[in-house]
Amino acid sequence: MKLIFEKGSTGRGCDLLPPSDVPVINLEDKFKRQSKLNLPNVSETELSRHYTELMKKTFGVNDGFYPLGSCTMKYNPKINDDMAKLPGFTDIHPLQSEETTQGALEVMALAEEYLCEITGMDNMSFQPAAGAHGEFTGLQLIKAYHEKRGDSKRDKIIVPDSAHGTNPASAAMVGYKVINVPSTNEGYVDVDALRDAVGEDTAGFMLTNPNTLGLFEANILEITNIIHQAGGLNYYDGANLNAIMGIARPGDMGFDVVHLNLHKTFSTPHGGGGPGSGPVGCKLLLSDYLPSPRVIKGAEGSYHLSYDNPDSIGRVKAFYGNFLVVVRALTYILSLGKEGLKHASINAVLNANYMMHQLKDTYHIPFSDHCMHEFIISLEDLKKEKGVSALDVAKAMLDYGMHPPTMYFPLNVPEALMVEPTETESKETLDEAVRVYKKIYEEVTSNPELAHGYPRNTVIGRPDEVGAARNPVLRYVYNK
Ligand SMILES: *Cc1c(COP(=O)(O)O)cnc(C)c1O
């Protein structure tokens, strides 16, 4: 496929800019661009066809089953986008005066109230732009808390090996030393090892729950208690709240700070890498450190932005975060309601368990008693016995019009495939997926030599992933 710069012809264009409604200013030469601006020279027809061609080459939730584990690729109701494109939300400027943006401030205040209720937290900031950014922000709160108390020897964050990979990375970015605690054979935090790991140098503990094995942590109250006893704080990675919303709350489990991924659980499409939102909620003991400004509801019912937060860790993003993602999340919460949210989680867990139990006699499923919203297949034996890898099986799924599950994650399960069907898939879709997964298993075991040739029916086969990672070509070079 040609790039848009390689299409069309010089002089062609489709700019339909309205006449300027502001005075035209003559700029000094030094501010003017010295070389020609390279823009595509295409007509509207060519432009439209270009994007349609691109669209057909990709695969999204609107194309078919997309069970990408740890990503919650659920169907996002279109009403969210109807709300997010209301001119009252899209046509405002972040620097507008508060009297003129009361509606937008109310959206943030309401979303904060509901999400605090859902997580059991007291306050929340919507500034972080993604989950990992939320982790970074939440850990800064923990750091600020210890510093304010003059407790400077706490320089370690404890992270179980079943945590999401971003957890240790975020802790390291904040400047903490990361202490790993192992999991038991059943896939839960080894509580004895945790007891040995805590001490006067423990700043905090990060728990991904459900963990990356798809399991609800077994001894949470004991774990959070051990950390609190040692003077540390508890961080809850709530990116995968899809499994528990409306049913269990991190705030009731002894957690002091939590981040959510609105672009997963609270239904913003996120296939293309953004925009996201990783709000951070915390208990009162950390509220003073939250990013500034904060939205405050005044006694007379109006909203304002408070910049008077001397203990705040400061800004982590321009203005108030990705506001329209918050509009979508609030729409989702209001349209589902308390019972609807709970129902979504129950069905997410039910769908994952249904699929897992249908597949467990065919594939090796290391933790197969029950799972939360996702489950893991290990193809270690298949790899050893037949030379067929998780990648081969994943590529085969593409031929059946299904997106493969997450591959090679979590790291502590060899040849892992991580399947998260989500609540928005019907029983028929799950049954069809089960049929395809079983058929592929049969194909690759009876003809292992053919397994490396998948996919056979897609526009793109197997791109050179190593080449793309090692030598990324991210910029188009003109006139080469
Ligand atoms: C997705 C995810 C993250 C990271 O979120 P991003 O928005 O991709 O930065 C962190 N933790 C868990 C458990 C996740 O699933």
Side-chain angles (χ1 to χ4, degrees), residues 70 130-132 135 164 166-167 208 237 239-240 259 261 263-264:
S70 201
E135 292 170 30
H164 195 263
T166 48
N167 293 185
T208 300
D237 179 335
N240 296 326
H259 88 263
N261 278 30
H263 50 287
K264 291 180 181 169

Side-chain angles (χ1 to χ4, degrees), residues 265-284:
T265 314
F266 294 93
S267 101
T268 277
H270 56 286
S277 176
V280 168
C282 65
K283 290 281 180 70
L284 274 181

Side-chain angles (χ1 to χ4, degrees), residues 65 67 350-369 371 374-379 393 397 402 405 417-421 429-442:
F65 191 44
L350 177 65
N351 279 358
N353 276 280
Y354 177 73
M355 228 184 127
M356 179 178 80
H357 282 274
Q358 296 290 319
L359 289 174
K360 71 177 184 183
D361 295 334
T362 308
Y363 286 92
H364 174 53
I365 295 179
F367 306 96
S368 64
D369 286 349
C371 62
E374 59 194 0
F375 65 93
I376 290 162
I377 295 172
S378 170
L379 298 180
V393 171
M397 290 166 183
M402 290 181 185
L417 289 179
M418 186 190 220
V419 188
E420 181 185 1
T429 305
L430 299 181
D431 285 339
E432 173 62 10
V434 166
R435 190 186 68 77
V436 167
Y437 279 37
K438 286 185 175 170
K439 183 158 187 270
I440 290 171
Y441 190 86
E442 210 183 285

Side-chain angles (χ1 to χ4, degrees), residues 34-287:
Q34 300 302 318
S35 57
K36 200 174 131 275
L37 178 62
N38 279 308
L39 290 175
N41 294 289
V42 291
S43 66
E44 188 173 325
T45 317
E46 287 168 313
L47 182 69
S48 183
R49 287 187 182 152
H50 177 75
Y51 284 107
T52 305
E53 190 181 353
L54 271 179
M55 188 186 83
K56 285 183 179 161
K57 280 200 159 53
T58 186
F59 187 96
V61 196
N62 291 325
D63 292 292
F65 191 44
Y66 201 141
L68 198 63
S70 201
C71 290
T72 310
M73 301 299 285
K74 60 184 177 184
Y75 173 79
N76 302 295
K78 299 293 177 257
I79 187 178
N80 297 352
D81 282 273
D82 287 346
M83 295 305 119
K85 67 181 185 222
L86 289 175
F89 292 137
T90 56
D91 292 357
I92 50 176
H93 192 278
L95 295 178
Q96 235 170 276
S97 67
E98 284 169 6
E99 311 86 75
T100 63
T101 56
Q102 284 296 304
L105 295 177
E106 186 176 355
V107 164
M108 287 198 280
L110 260 187
E112 177 176 355
E113 190 183 327
Y114 288 140
L115 289 168
C116 280
E117 177 65 31
I118 291 167
T119 53
M121 294 289 142
D122 294 313
N123 290 105
M124 191 168 278
S125 166
F126 292 110
Q127 271 188 31
H133 195 192
E135 292 170 30
F136 180 77
T137 306
L139 289 168
Q140 298 269 17
L141 304 186
I142 292 181
K143 194 170 192 192
Y145 168 86
H146 291 308
E147 271 168 13
K148 177 89 182 178
R149 291 157 46 97
D151 203 350
S152 56
K153 61 191 175 304
R154 298 189 181 271
D155 61 351
K156 298 194 175 64
I157 293 282
I158 302 175
V159 184
D161 64 4
S162 59
H164 195 263
T166 48
N167 293 185
S170 300
M173 271 189 73
V174 175
Y176 281 120
K177 292 194 188 76
V178 178
I179 305 293
N180 247 293
V181 286
S183 303
T184 61
N185 290 337
E186 290 76 40
Y188 302 115
V189 173
D190 184 331
V191 177
D192 290 329
L194 178 68
R195 239 185 230 107
D196 291 342
V198 298
E200 292 193 339
D201 55 0
T202 304
F205 170 77
M206 293 180 90
L207 189 77
T208 300
N209 188 55
N211 67 25
T212 53
L213 302 171
L215 306 175
F216 193 99
E217 200 51 61
N219 305 299
I220 289 189
L221 294 178
E222 193 180 351
I223 291 169
T224 53
N225 197 24
I226 291 171
I227 301 297
H228 278 160
Q229 294 286 324
L233 296 180
N234 291 302
Y235 185 101
Y236 189 99
D237 179 335
N240 296 326
L241 209 77
N242 216 44
I244 66 159
M245 63 180 167
I247 299 166
R249 310 192 312 163
D252 300 332
M253 305 176 205
F255 289 90
D256 306 290
V257 50
V258 56
H259 88 263
L260 303 174
N261 278 30
L262 298 189
H263 50 287
K264 291 180 181 169
T265 314
F266 294 93
S267 101
T268 277
H270 56 286
S277 176
V280 168
C282 65
K283 290 281 180 70
L284 274 181
L285 84 168
L286 293 175
S287 297

